[in-house]
């Protein structure tokens, strides 16, 4: 497919004339920056072949993407809130995260989940220095910064500075433990239950459990 | 078909200092450092073989190993207790002497 840059009218009329009265040109970005990468071309080629051979249909691909995009941090938040209100469930979650997630009806597939608990003396932080391993089944797609080279290298080397930049300074008498998610396990941080939440029910507690608090770059919100 | 686990929780281990080519999931920064086994996670097909469409069998025991940050980074700015835990396959680990 070729993009014709000459033929279309720009839709953004700001009420001034770009060429004559404005005095300078704005830099422009092409509609398709850089074209397709090798892996994008390969993905399209393999997908089209599999559809052509009837292995699956285009709608199956769309449905799978929709399901992936439909996962969100609310799933992890419900998991944490249950652990906050039910000590027996919390013990099971810390012993076997995958089994505990299935117990709540959360579809986590073959994911091997390890739940790490923040305490008054320990704060946990999750990173994948090699790529972007992330508990997608419970948190959805990872944020862009989680995949960035800066986060991946700095979270292991200077985690306290990184946390301070996230607005989460860690006290000196608290051990900071970084989990580098390098292989077959996935990690979910169970944040500390905030003070003053004794009267809240499970749904209200879940609303305090943010995505970032389950990665470890933030604390749970306070009500 | 799995290799037998050689280590158990609490054992001191050292990560081999090696640089083989290919799809290696042992981060560079941890090679040559010593830590303690936190837990055995199970046995998994070796990703260094899987990446080249081989079976990866026998499966390799996979451990979580805990290291002290201050021993890994000479310029580490944090507390002496700060730690890092990494999943490492058995074939990357060798026994280390007990901590003094």
């Amino acid at each position: 497919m070729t993009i014709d840059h000459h033929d279309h009218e720009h839709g953004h009329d700001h009420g001034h004339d770009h060429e004559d009265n404005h005095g300078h040109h704005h830099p422009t970005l092409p509609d398709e920056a850089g074209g397709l990468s090798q892996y994008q071309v390969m993905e399209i080629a393999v997908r089209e072949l599999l559809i052509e051979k009837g292995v699956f249909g285009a709608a199956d691909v769309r449905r799978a993407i929709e399901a992936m995009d439909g996962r969100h941090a609310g799933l992890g938040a419900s998991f944490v809130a249950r652990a906050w209100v039910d000590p027996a469930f919390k013990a099971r979650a810390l012993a076997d995260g995958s089994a505990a997630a299935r117990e709540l009806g959360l579809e986590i597939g073959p994911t091997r989940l390890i739940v790490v608990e923040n305490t008054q003396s320990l704060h946990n932080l999750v990173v994948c220095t090699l790529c972007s391993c992330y508990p997608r089944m419970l948190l959805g797609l990872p944020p862009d910064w989680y995949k960035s080279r800066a986060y991946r290298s700095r979270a292991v080397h200077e985690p306290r500075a990184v946390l301070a930049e996230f607005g989460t300074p860690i006290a000196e008498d608290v051990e900071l433990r970084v989990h580098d998610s390098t292989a077959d396990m996935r990690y979910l941080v169970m944040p500390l239950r905030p003070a003053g939440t004794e009267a809240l029910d499970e749904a209200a507690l879940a609303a305090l459990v943010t995505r970032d608090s389950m990665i470890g770059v933030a604390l749970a919100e306070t009500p | 078909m799995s290799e037998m686990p050689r280590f158990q929780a609490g054992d001191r281990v050292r990560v081999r200092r090696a640089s083989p080519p290919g799809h290696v999931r042992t981060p560079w920064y941890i090679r040559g450092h010593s830590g303690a086994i936190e837990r055995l996670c199970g046995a998994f097909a070796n990703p260094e073989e899987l990446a080249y469409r081989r079976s990866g069998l026998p499966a390799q025991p996979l451990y979580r190993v805990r290291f002290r940050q201050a021993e890994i980074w000479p310029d580490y700015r944090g507390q002496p207790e700060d730690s890092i835990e990494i999943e490492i396959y058995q074939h990357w680990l060798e026994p280390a002497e007990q901590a003094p």
Side-chain angles (χ1 to χ4, degrees), chain A residues 3-211:
Chain A
I3 306 281
D4 189 336
H5 290 283
H6 307 290
D7 218 23
H8 63 264
E9 287 290 318
H10 286 280
H12 51 276
D13 181 359
H14 299 167
H16 57 250
D17 187 319
H18 278 192
E19 299 306 320
D20 299 327
N21 301 333
H22 200 56
H24 64 272
H25 292 286
H26 288 289
T28 55
L29 280 176
D31 288 345
E32 292 272 356
L36 296 172
S37 73
Q38 183 195 339
Y39 290 109
Q40 287 172 313
V41 173
M42 200 189 301
E43 182 274 321
I44 293 167
V46 171
R47 167 160 47 88
E48 288 182 349
L49 274 170
L50 290 168
I51 291 170
E52 202 174 297
K53 289 178 178 297
V55 177
F56 48 66
D60 296 319
V61 177
R62 184 203 56 72
R63 259 183 230 110
I65 293 171
E66 188 179 34
M68 278 191 279
D69 288 347
R71 294 195 293 253
H72 53 89
L75 303 170
S78 66
F79 182 95
V80 170
R82 172 64 62 86
W84 280 351
V85 300
D86 181 346
F89 176 79
K90 177 171 149 182
R92 293 197 293 280
L94 293 173
D96 185 341
S98 302
R102 290 190 192 103
E103 192 184 316
L104 294 190
L106 298 169
E107 290 179 19
I108 66 160
T111 303
R112 306 272 302 224
L113 183 71
I114 290 183
V115 179
V116 291
E117 181 189 15
N118 286 350
T119 67
Q120 299 292 349
S121 59
L122 176 69
H123 183 89
N124 294 283
L125 176 68
V126 180
V127 62
C128 173
T129 58
L130 298 179
C131 46
S132 56
C133 296
Y134 188 77
R136 294 170 185 231
M137 307 303 280
L138 292 180
L139 296 187
L141 297 174
D144 285 345
W145 55 258
Y146 186 84
K147 299 180 279 186
S148 72
R149 196 182 180 94
Y151 179 75
R152 286 161 47 210
S153 55
R154 295 184 60 219
V156 284
H157 181 212
E158 46 177 355
R160 285 177 183 265
V162 169
L163 284 169
E165 288 169 28
F166 274 103
T168 311
I170 302 299
E172 290 192 352
D173 59 352
V174 173
E175 174 185 341
L176 179 60
R177 180 172 295 158
V178 177
H179 301 267
D180 190 354
S181 184
T182 47
D184 292 279
M185 306 292 132
R186 298 294 178 269
Y187 297 89
L188 186 80
V189 175
M190 185 185 295
L192 265 178
R193 180 171 174 169
T197 57
E198 293 75 12
L200 297 185
D201 66 15
E202 205 173 317
L205 287 170
L208 306 176
V209 185
T210 63
R211 174 196 71 189

Side-chain angles (χ1 to χ4, degrees), chain B residues 26-97:
Chain B
T26 304
W28 183 265
Y29 69 84
I30 209 64
R31 298 181 197 176
H33 288 285
S34 298
I37 301 286
E38 190 263 340
R39 76 176 81 170
L40 172 65
C41 300
F44 295 88
N46 183 352
E48 294 161 33
E49 300 290 318
L50 283 181
Y52 299 94
R53 298 187 62 194
R54 295 189 286 259
S55 73
L57 299 177
Q60 281 289 333
L62 177 70
Y63 301 92
R64 293 181 49 65
V65 186
R66 184 177 299 167
F67 302 85
R68 289 282 162 225
Q69 287 277 36
E71 294 175 15
I72 296 173
W73 314 104
D75 59 347
Y76 183 71
R77 277 189 279 177
Q79 297 303 304
E81 296 77 25
D82 286 0
S83 53
I84 183 162
E85 294 190 0
I86 311 181
E87 291 159 49
I88 303 180
Y89 296 92
Q90 178 164 278
H91 64 288
W92 273 92
L93 296 174
E94 55 195 19
E97 55 287 351

